[in-house]
Amino acid sequence: IGEKAAATWRALGADVLVHDPRLADGVSLEALFAQADLITLHCALTPSSRHLINAETLRQLRPGVILLNTARGECVDVDALLAAPPLGGLGLDVFPDEPFPRLAELAARPNTWVLPHAAGFYQGLGRAVAEELAASVGAFLRTGWPHHVVTEDE
């Protein structure tokens, strides 16, 4: 995902800095935090990526930086984020806990976008959902049971 994001940003004319411990030609986190106007997170949740963005790293970011986290909720320490001055922009579609108990407080911050995590979206998804819904309703009308029962009263 990170490679695709980097290619997209380059196609738009951006200078792209990459930090990935697996890549020899990446930059350090310190350099990235000091130079980046926009930071996008595309990583798995590991011990080293948990709270990658925290109180200390927030102080290292350039003024006005935009942060987008579409990776894993715990990559960002949201408590530290809420205690820090607002960023130039913040976009989150993942949270440490869902439902996230401080969502309203987070969404009320300036220049903050809270979005649904739509990693499963693909062309034709709407049609597939509509077809499955129609099949499930049809099964219910015929048998009294939908295709996929989540819970059943005993």
Side-chain angles (χ1 to χ4, degrees):
I1 294 172
E3 290 174 2
K4 296 274 188 190
T8 300
W9 288 110
R10 284 186 184 106
L12 293 170
D15 292 326
V16 176
L17 302 173
V18 175
H19 171 79
D20 186 334
R22 300 170 300 164
L23 299 177
D25 61 347
V27 300
S28 70
L29 278 176
E30 293 76 16
L32 184 120
F33 293 151
Q35 297 174 42
D37 294 315
L38 169 67
I39 297 173
T40 63
L41 301 181
H42 309 278
C43 55
L45 183 60
T46 65
S48 64
S49 68
R50 184 178 186 278
H51 290 177
L52 180 66
I53 304 298
N54 56 53
E56 180 184 336
T57 58
L58 285 166
R59 288 188 292 273
Q60 296 174 34
L61 301 179
R62 287 174 63 127
V65 71
I66 298 169
L67 173 65
L68 303 176
N69 182 19
T70 60
R72 298 291 178 263
E74 288 193 24
C75 291
V76 175
D77 180 349
V78 181
D79 291 329
L81 192 63
L82 286 166
L87 301 175
L90 174 65
L92 302 173
D93 76 344
V94 290
F95 305 92
D97 300 303
E98 295 189 19
F100 185 59
R102 298 177 73 187
L103 187 61
E105 180 183 358
L106 184 63
R109 291 178 63 99
N111 301 321
T112 296
W113 299 272
V114 176
L115 308 164
H117 188 69
F121 180 80
Y122 61 91
Q123 189 170 359
L125 177 63
R127 181 182 180 109
V129 169
E131 288 172 355
E132 178 60 32
L133 178 62
S136 193
V137 168
F140 180 78
L141 292 174
R142 285 188 308 279
T143 68
W145 293 96
H147 276 164
H148 308 287
V149 177
V150 177
T151 60
E152 178 179 334
D153 293 334
E154 297 182 359

